Amino acid sequence: VIDIGLEGKLLVAAFAAAAASYATGSAYWGLLAGIGASVLFALVHGFASISQRGNQIVSGVAINMLAAGLTAVIGNAWYGQGGRSPPLEGDQRFLGFLDVSDAPRLVQVLFGQSLLVYLALLLVPLTWYVLAKTRFGLRLRAVGEKPAAVDTAGISVTGLRYSAVIIAGVFCGIGGAYIGTALSAGFIPGMTAGKGFIALAALIFAKWRAWPALAACLLFGFLEALSIRLQGAEI
């Protein structure tokens, strides 16, 4: 299943996470809300592209457009700030996992990130292991490469594809929650700024492998950080 709708799921997860964190006072409830919203949009994409066999590109683009408009409209209706959420503070955010503000810069970079960053890094070896070493991963890869062979073996192709779509929704929910409650102190319309497309590009660049995908994401992240730093540099 080609998921062009990563951007939309990230955006709706960022909004849901920020809104839930603000309402409950807990970033963890925000994380659950972000995952729930992302999975819901993932199921919509799955229904359109798997059950109804619609065009996956069109479905993904529709998800992106729906997420962009829906988050702005609901955000403005709820908070009256042009689609923005109120600023998040304290326990409403995922701040640094350890207090290393007085440590050297390298220590701050390695150990001063939020909990969601380390969770994302742990998901990389887990993803690699599941895809490469388990029966579920073998079947999942087979569904993508030779679905007819999987169907002949009596395995539900539709069920496996829905499983993949839901897992992608969970991952997007974690990413969106990070954007809305850790990287930023609240939701801003369009705040994902193409990161869903960058994630898809990184995956294609890495030829659908977990460790090279991590390297590609780190490369893109470094280049984005470098561009921000160079904007304030004097030449």
Side-chain angles (χ1 to χ4, degrees):
V1 177
I2 300 174
D3 200 348
I4 301 296
L6 294 177
E7 179 78 5
K9 289 198 284 289
L10 281 175
L11 190 61
V12 74
F15 174 78
S21 296
Y22 177 74
T24 63
S26 172
Y28 292 97
W29 282 112
L31 173 61
L32 292 177
I35 292 175
S38 178
V39 169
L40 178 61
F41 270 60
L43 289 173
V44 172
H45 177 61
F47 177 76
S49 60
I50 299 173
S51 298
Q52 301 301 314
R53 298 187 179 183
N55 188 293
Q56 298 176 7
I57 305 297
V58 174
S59 175
V61 172
I63 291 291
N64 293 337
M65 296 175 64
L66 178 62
L70 198 62
T71 53
V73 171
I74 295 179
N76 189 53
W78 284 0
Y79 307 116
Q81 301 179 18
R84 294 172 175 260
S85 70
L88 305 178
E89 300 176 352
D91 292 339
Q92 296 173 333
R93 296 188 63 191
F94 283 103
L95 300 176
F97 187 61
L98 297 174
D99 185 9
V100 292
S101 56
D102 296 329
R105 180 61 62 87
L106 180 60
V107 175
Q108 294 181 25
V109 171
L110 293 177
F111 302 104
Q113 305 298 326
S114 73
L115 177 65
L116 297 183
V117 173
Y118 303 112
L119 175 60
L121 292 174
L122 288 174
L123 286 174
V124 176
L126 177 62
T127 300
W128 169 82
Y129 179 81
V130 169
L131 289 177
K133 302 295 183 179
T134 67
R135 181 178 299 178
F136 173 76
L138 175 63
R139 291 175 175 177
L140 192 63
R141 286 186 286 121
V143 163
E145 297 171 2
K146 296 181 179 180
V150 176
D151 186 56
T152 302
I155 301 169
S156 173
V157 173
T158 299
L160 281 172
R161 287 181 172 173
Y162 265 106
S163 298
V165 167
I166 292 172
I167 292 171
V170 172
F171 287 178
C172 280
I174 296 172
Y178 171 77
I179 294 172
T181 61
L183 187 64
S184 178
F187 178 80
I188 303 172
M191 68 184 307
T192 49
K195 289 181 174 59
F197 297 110
I198 293 175
L200 185 60
L203 187 62
I204 296 173
F205 183 69
K207 297 181 179 179
W208 318 101
R209 294 174 295 172
W211 289 108
L214 173 62
C217 288
L218 291 175
L219 174 62
F220 290 144
F222 169 75
L223 294 175
E224 182 178 0
L226 181 63
S227 67
I228 295 173
R229 183 61 62 91
L230 290 177
Q231 290 178 14
E234 296 182 1
I235 300 178

